[in-house]
Amino acid sequence: EAEVAQSPRYKITEKSQAVAFWCDPISGHATLYWYRQILGQGPELLVQFQDESVVDDSQLPKDRFSAERLKGVDSTLKIQPAELGDSAMYLCASSLGLDSSYEEQYFGPGTRLTVT
Amino acid sequence: AQSVSQHNHHVILSEAASLELGCNYSYGGTVNLFWYVQYPGQHLQLLLKYFSGDPLVKGIKGFEAEFIKSKFSFNLRKPSVQWSDTAEYFCAVILSGSARQLTFGSGTQLTVLP
């Protein structure tokens, strides 16, 4: 069964360092989402792509976060510089992206970030 | 701002007990409603969804949920839980016109004791 791949699974970094996460969606999925899940809370959408274009990045802290999906396939989420409050699980999800109505989102295993 | 509220942060039940997890949303327009589950060490996965029609929807593994529009609620139920139902459960909504964006509740950790 096709899955969303994410790497690394765990990342420990020091405050003020740069960190990057990678996501490979299910083949053929045009829509890609990055979520942040703080411990004890539900996932919150950071950015949504349709192919290589950003659909919504209104919740992305753009002073330190950036996301790209240059060829419309895999995607990278970067944080520079990392702050203590960025410690969280970063989830990637994808969906077919063919319809304006709901399509099931398939989630990856996430990257657990700890900032020290 | 629109939000999703899950009333219980942690629920502990014995096997064979009945389960009901509460979910309320604050939005007056059209919504699509979902329950996701995350088993220990596994990915978030869809449990069930409501779009329209019969407000009682059935999902995988014997779960069901009832949409009560007047109460802005979408509670999850299972008549008899099993140890394997131990997981974290998230209620989520998509607001009409929101480009398929999910808004999640804070989750309920269910622990089923054997």
Side-chain angles (χ1 to χ4, degrees):
Chain A
E1 183 177 318
E3 294 185 340
V4 176
Q6 290 189 248
S7 67
R9 294 292 305 277
Y10 303 92
K11 180 70 178 178
I12 300 175
T13 192
E14 293 183 347
K15 186 175 62 172
S16 80
Q17 295 297 303
V19 64
F21 315 129
W22 177 78
C23 171
D24 192 13
I26 293 173
S27 178
H29 279 196
T31 308
L32 184 146
Y33 309 81
W34 282 102
Y35 291 87
R36 177 172 59 185
Q37 185 177 14
I38 296 169
L39 192 64
Q41 299 180 21
E44 294 178 302
L45 181 69
L46 290 174
V47 61
Q48 177 183 349
F49 289 92
Q50 180 71 18
D51 299 309
E52 67 277 6
S53 300
V54 173
V55 172
D56 185 351
D57 63 357
S58 58
Q59 300 303 310
L60 190 71
K62 297 182 191 64
D63 56 334
R64 298 185 299 107
F65 286 64
S66 63
E68 60 183 18
R69 193 183 184 200
L70 293 175
K71 296 182 180 179
V73 181
D74 59 340
S75 176
T76 302
L77 179 69
K78 297 179 181 177
I79 308 175
Q80 182 173 17
E83 296 181 353
L84 294 177
D86 297 330
S87 294
M89 178 74 85
Y90 290 83
L91 297 169
C92 180
S94 70
S95 65
L96 281 169
L98 297 177
D99 199 316
S100 59
S101 61
Y102 175 75
E103 299 167 335
E104 183 170 347
Q105 293 183 26
Y106 295 84
F107 284 82
T111 296
R112 170 76 65 189
L113 173 66
T114 301
V115 182
T116 63
Chain B
Q2 293 78 22
S3 68
V4 179
S5 299
Q6 292 185 241
H7 314 300
N8 309 102
H9 294 296
H10 196 178
V11 172
I12 302 174
L13 296 172
S14 297
E15 275 194 315
S18 63
L19 169 72
E20 182 161 3
L21 301 182
C23 173
N24 287 90
Y25 62 93
S26 61
Y27 181 67
T30 302
V31 293
N32 301 134
L33 297 155
F34 309 86
W35 277 95
Y36 278 79
V37 61
Q38 188 166 26
Y39 298 102
Q42 296 189 26
H43 309 178
L44 264 174
Q45 57 185 284
L46 183 65
L47 197 55
L48 49 79
K49 61 182 182 284
Y50 171 79
F51 277 22
S52 63
D54 188 344
L56 184 63
V57 293
K58 297 189 183 299
I60 60 173
K61 303 187 180 184
F63 285 90
E64 65 179 31
E66 185 176 12
F67 171 52
I68 303 179
K69 188 174 182 179
S70 61
K71 295 184 178 181
F72 298 89
S73 70
F74 190 56
N75 292 355
L76 181 70
R77 300 195 293 247
K78 186 172 184 179
S80 175
V81 294
Q82 301 173 318
W83 175 79
S84 58
D85 293 325
T86 294
E88 189 152 21
Y89 293 80
F90 293 93
C91 182
V93 304
I94 287 180
L95 308 178
S96 176
S98 68
R100 310 190 297 274
Q101 294 175 2
L102 285 164
T103 299
F104 284 88
S106 57
T108 297
Q109 175 63 48
L110 171 65
T111 301
V112 180
L113 304 175

